[in-house]
Amino acid sequence: MKKTNQLYEGKAKKVFETDQPDLLIVSYKDDATAFNGLKKGTILGKGAINNRVTNHLMKLLEKQGVPTHFVEELNDRETVVRRVQIVPLEVIVRNIAAGSLSKRLGLPEGTKLKKTVLEFCYKNDELGDPMVNESHIYAMDLATKEELDTITRLSLKINEILGEYLMENHIELIDFKLEFGRLADGTIVLADEISPDTCRFWDSVTQEKLDKDRFRRDLGGVEDAYQEVLRRLLGE
Ligand code: TMP
């Protein structure tokens, strides 16, 4: 597998084309941003940790019947994935109130939600990823009804699988963000990453934050928290 030209550079990853038209290589960076790029920094070792944690979780999901873009980990930072057309939605799944939900609805962080909350945001940096509902999604043709049904079903299934698996490792899955893509034949698969950058992970005993909120909120111990997630999930 050979990298050819760079297709795209995002805030946390670069994406390269390869000598096979349906395969891409994702390369994870140590760069960290928050608040739509307003806050910038570096989290040493983050790229490698997010790459390995994402692949570990994607393999677990695949085994349990969730289709993903994952193909093969190449090295610490790089992974081969299937080429998809990204559905321009960020799907947020919430089990416990935190972050923007706490702010918007006045729910103290840590409040258990009686039912899982699903939110959709229109993936558009210039607009700051505004929240949209089902009717906005159809009005703007961001996804079809059939696609959104699949995305909803898979998101809830992913929440069940990850929530249970993480709890076995003493991590509480507070909330997380997913992105989905379309394969050439239209099949919806999980894409992007599942990592401490895109999830809220709290120690299930001490409630200590083990995720990017340590960077967003200047809590210190950012690198150690990412390392701890890697250790708990991959045993190193
Ligand atoms: P929020 O509480 O700030 O809306 O974040 C909800 C979840 O989504 C949290 O686990 C962090 C994740 N997230 C991203 O992965 N990317 C983003 O751009 C934002 C705003 C949140």
Side-chain angles (χ1 to χ4, degrees):
M1 175 76 43
K2 256 191 31 212
K3 263 195 257 178
T4 53
N5 64 303
Q6 183 173 309
L7 198 60
Y8 169 80
E9 176 161 7
K11 286 180 283 210
K13 297 186 284 297
K14 292 179 187 175
V15 181
F16 297 88
E17 292 191 301
T18 69
D19 45 13
Q20 293 187 44
D22 55 341
L23 296 179
L24 302 175
I25 291 175
V26 178
S27 179
Y28 286 73
K29 308 193 287 185
D30 284 354
D31 299 351
T33 63
F35 315 117
N36 200 19
L38 237 57
K39 182 183 173 96
K40 288 192 174 72
T42 301
I43 302 175
L44 272 181
K46 173 172 89 79
I49 292 174
N50 285 358
N51 182 40
R52 303 192 56 207
V53 167
T54 295
N55 294 342
H56 181 72
L57 296 177
M58 292 232 179
K59 282 189 251 179
L60 174 86
L61 291 168
E62 282 275 358
K63 257 194 243 160
Q64 305 215 32
V66 176
T68 79
H69 72 165
F70 175 78
V71 176
E72 184 194 7
E73 187 169 292
L74 279 184
N75 55 52
D76 254 15
R77 266 171 207 282
E78 295 180 321
T79 293
V80 181
V81 299
R82 291 197 273 181
R83 185 193 281 266
V84 298
Q85 179 193 51
I86 290 286
V87 176
L89 291 173
E90 299 202 342
V91 182
I92 296 172
V93 185
R94 302 182 185 269
N95 299 302
I96 308 268
S100 69
L101 181 78
S102 288
K103 218 171 175 178
R104 187 158 22 93
L105 300 182
L107 293 172
E109 285 212 318
T111 307
K112 169 115 185 65
L113 300 166
K114 282 213 168 146
K115 193 169 186 293
T116 303
V117 169
L118 212 63
E119 296 171 353
F120 300 104
C121 296
Y122 173 38
K123 207 172 136 58
N124 183 316
D125 278 343
E126 269 164 49
L127 300 175
D129 301 335
M131 196 188 290
V132 289
N133 65 26
E134 211 178 317
S135 54
H136 296 115
I137 292 172
Y138 304 143
M140 293 175 70
D141 205 17
L142 303 179
T144 65
K145 168 98 175 62
E146 194 191 350
E147 286 175 333
L148 202 60
D149 286 349
T150 303
I151 287 171
T152 298
R153 181 176 53 77
L154 289 175
S155 298
L156 295 174
K157 180 168 177 177
I158 291 165
N159 187 40
E160 292 296 316
I161 296 168
L162 293 185
E164 187 178 330
Y165 171 73
L166 290 161
M167 197 46 99
E168 288 166 11
N169 295 284
H170 309 290
I171 293 174
E172 211 172 323
L173 182 57
I174 306 302
D175 58 33
F176 57 101
K177 186 264 296 179
L178 299 172
E179 293 183 28
F180 292 87
R182 304 176 180 101
L183 297 178
D185 69 357
T187 308
I188 293 285
V189 301
L190 178 65
D192 196 49
E193 65 179 282
I194 311 174
S195 73
D197 266 17
T198 61
C199 303
R200 284 196 173 92
F201 293 145
W202 292 3
D203 182 294
S204 60
V205 178
T206 65
Q207 303 282 282
E208 186 192 355
K209 295 185 196 328
L210 299 172
D211 56 61
K212 195 176 169 189
D213 270 348
R214 302 204 74 85
F215 169 80
R216 295 188 189 99
R217 303 177 187 188
D218 296 318
L219 300 177
V222 185
E223 279 88 359
D224 286 349
Y226 278 69
Q227 195 66 50
E228 181 60 18
V229 171
L230 181 73
R231 194 188 66 75
R232 289 193 194 184
L233 302 187
L234 284 101
E236 55 194 88

